[in-house]
Amino acid sequence: MESQDLPECPVCLQPYDGECTIPRVLACGHTVCESCLLNLPKKLPGAIRCPACTVLVKYPPEGPTTLPKNIDLLRLIPGGSENPRKPVNKSKNVSNLPFLPRSWSDEFYSNWKCYLLRDDTVERDQVSLLPVGSFSSGGEDGSLFKAGYLVRVMDCLREMKEEERGELGLVLRAFTKQNCRICRVLGLWGDLGDGVLYLASEKQKRGNFLDKNLGCFEKEGVFNFALMGMEMCEAVISLHKEGLIAGCLSFSCFQLDDFGHIYLDLIEVLLTGRGIQDVVANVGFSGKKIGDGEIRMLFKDLLKRDVFVCPEVLLKLLEKEGTGVECCSLKYPIRYSSDAWLLSCILLRIVNGDVFSDEWVEYMCHIIVKGSENSEIDCSSVYTSSMEKVSSLLGTKFGAECVSLQQILCKCLDLDPESRSLVVDVWKCIRELVIRPQFDKMVKLYGASYDENVGRCMVVGKLCLLSRERTETQEKDELQGKEANGATDMVNGLTEGRIKWKDLLGHLDCVTGLAVGGGYLFSSSLDKSVKVWSLQDYSHVHTFRGHEHKVMAVVCVDEEQPLCISGDSGGGIFLWSINIPFGQEPLKKWYEEKDWRYSGIHALAVSENGYLYTGSGDKLIKEWSLRDGTLSGTMTGHKSVVSAIAVNNGVLYSGSWDGTVRLWSLSDHSLLTVLGEDMPRAVSTVLSLAADQHTLIASYENGSVKIWRHDVLRKSMQIHNGAIFTVSLDGKWLFTGSWDRTIKAQELAGDDVEVDVRHIGSIPCDSVITALSYSEGKLFVGFGDRTVKVYYHGK
């Protein structure tokens, strides 16, 4: 088994070897090397986050040596080690550093790792490099858990758009193997100095040669010209075999090796494409139409760089920029024959030098600016005239024996891509100058695919747009001074003072809970009912009745079989179907073990694996199967009523009147850690919890909230003048509702180490706020006076 196929530690990405990288198994089932476990930051007493799945798991106080070794992985390691690695320095203290969890899956890493080059294997002057992304420089200098090279490269790949990764993967899969006449792509390399991820390919030592041979070919040089032209065609044909169309070519795209053979450098093709994008962007701007002067300037600019682009590609690029061309209605598709145009231009330019350049500019300007449907005859005459001049120039150089070459190169310059010759045809014609057809029985060209439905043009693709899109996005974000996802409708309305609301009336007592799912809003109440409201027009749709006690909580399961689940103060749990028509009876119902001393259910939460969790007056958290309603587990430890619960990232959070927040493993129901044990109970009764990604919010009876991020308490603040009964967290937006009859909105900013809280605004209300739910830019609020309100942007 090769080294790259060996199982690796998800933190340091080093293969396990049983000596320096010893695999240890965590409670969640994932394996991490002993050295990394030893150095992981211990933010919570007795618990760490698994680097592979980010689930909180128990961590033995004796350290990782007491965790079981993964014997199965050790059996995969070949006996002995030819290059034993130096063990990681385990004495280094990194407990105060933020843990950088892996943000990509095993499958994602497996798909890309074979294309990753080591950071010390690339010399800039020996390869061609194309910037495709950027990554951060990592943590503090000298820290062991500064993000490693491979981790930063993988994070950069994960942050790319799907289309960008798809195109990058296509190039890597096709050209990391040796391909006829194409410089081999080496892979992806990250420069730790400038924080840029590059696509790297081989660079031929002799470099570009075409610009040194302009106009140098005479009649006696036709054989050399033919050999050179054949190899250039072969390079482009190899590109076509992989379903790619260049769309643009320049002299710099062709390189010469030590034996005088020509190779196509894909990196140079992509860099040329980016250069054309910049030229096109500078010619016009969105919504503008350009004329003859701008087109002439554009082509002269390209010719100065010895860059060629065919009409249909140029018009596509202008269209993507939102720039039109006056009096032009050409709508030709980009085809494989688009590259035949480019090769013809380059070959004619090599033979005729600047004379062809002047003729080419005039021809291109005429057909693009005047090439409308109403002037086809005019374009045809210009084409005929221009091609006669081109043929004459070529005939002067090579004589009458090259008539077939003159004809096919001129045919490649036809305005209509469907009328042009293919590159294969050009190759065959040029080959006849070297070997007469009657003697050429040995070689036939097979495998060139010309399925126009799968051809992908590189110059209009994502790899050419990548750099500009990233720059434009960064400039836009800086200009706006906010994150790319922007503010939500509700928050915009709050900051602008343009909030409106709609009253939903019908409950007969205090609203206790809200849930959104399946296209409906569900509200529970002390009136022993759950009401269903349409999210389309907020009309009342249905009322679930059947509880014999006050309904204290409601949740929604928005999956294949959507459910509404309600719990009451008598310990009753009811499952309601939310398929139309709504039923009068629950799908299932069951009860906790009744005990007159306790106050039934106070909180509900559901997990993705089909379990319901209840927090109750008997100080317990219970896990129930939604399939049959059986009790599958009980978690004990709180000293008073469990008033709030939340599920996130494989962890159950429970808050209690005893003032603590406990974290439980969903896999084995074990207690992971306890937050708030050091707080006096008189001022710290937990009333509500909210968890989203790596952020946990707890609200308290004294009007304060506490914010944990990545398992560390980052902020504690007093924001209300009374008990905060309910909180809602959606990304960076935090909403709180209190006894003081005020709703407050906060923005959570900052990073993994610090949390900055910015007050967005407040909504004064007529009653105590008892329930909140934020969804799709709207804030749903339940009140003690029996009403439900929907707050939204008053546009």
Side-chain angles (χ1 to χ4, degrees), residues 504-507 511 513-525 527 529-545 554-556 562-566 575-584 780 788 790:
L504 310 185
L505 305 176
H507 280 296
V511 177
L514 296 171
V516 176
Y520 300 100
L521 170 69
F522 302 89
S523 58
S524 61
S525 169
D527 65 8
S529 72
V530 176
K531 290 193 177 293
V532 186
W533 313 86
S534 169
L535 290 181
Q536 300 298 318
D537 56 6
Y538 306 115
S539 61
H540 177 248
V541 177
H542 186 72
T543 300
F544 292 128
R545 304 184 188 276
V554 62
V555 292
C556 182
L563 297 172
C564 170
I565 307 171
S566 52
L575 272 62
W576 310 90
S577 170
I578 54 178
N579 291 323
I580 296 177
F582 292 103
Q584 297 298 323
F780 303 95
V788 175
V790 185

Side-chain angles (χ1 to χ4, degrees), residues 60-94:
E62 301 84 2
T65 55
T66 59
L67 291 171
K69 286 184 181 180
N70 193 325
I71 305 300
D72 291 334
L73 289 186
L74 291 176
R75 287 178 181 147
L76 299 176
I77 300 170
S81 178
E82 297 178 4
N83 299 299
R85 291 178 289 107
K86 183 178 178 181
V88 178
N89 180 8
K90 299 183 181 183
S91 62
K92 193 165 186 177
N93 179 18
V94 294

Side-chain angles (χ1 to χ4, degrees), residues 253-265:
C253 296
F254 294 98
Q255 306 285 327
L256 205 64
D257 73 357
D258 289 335
F259 297 98
H261 293 297
I262 294 175
Y263 284 81
L264 180 66
D265 189 336

Side-chain angles (χ1 to χ4, degrees), residues 617-635:
D618 59 6
K619 313 173 193 176
L620 303 177
I621 303 107
K622 303 181 185 71
E623 180 186 74
W624 309 86
S625 169
L626 288 177
R627 184 168 53 86
D628 55 15
T630 56
L631 179 65
S632 54
T634 301
M635 287 157 267

Side-chain angles (χ1 to χ4, degrees), residues 764-780:
C765 304
D766 296 328
S767 179
V768 173
I769 296 95
T770 55
L772 291 173
S773 181
Y774 179 78
S775 178
E776 298 182 357
K778 298 177 178 62
L779 184 65
F780 303 95

Side-chain angles (χ1 to χ4, degrees), residues 779-794:
L779 184 65
F780 303 95
V781 185
F783 293 93
D785 66 356
R786 306 175 293 181
T787 61
V788 175
K789 292 181 186 290
V790 185
Y791 289 92
Y792 55 94
H793 192 302

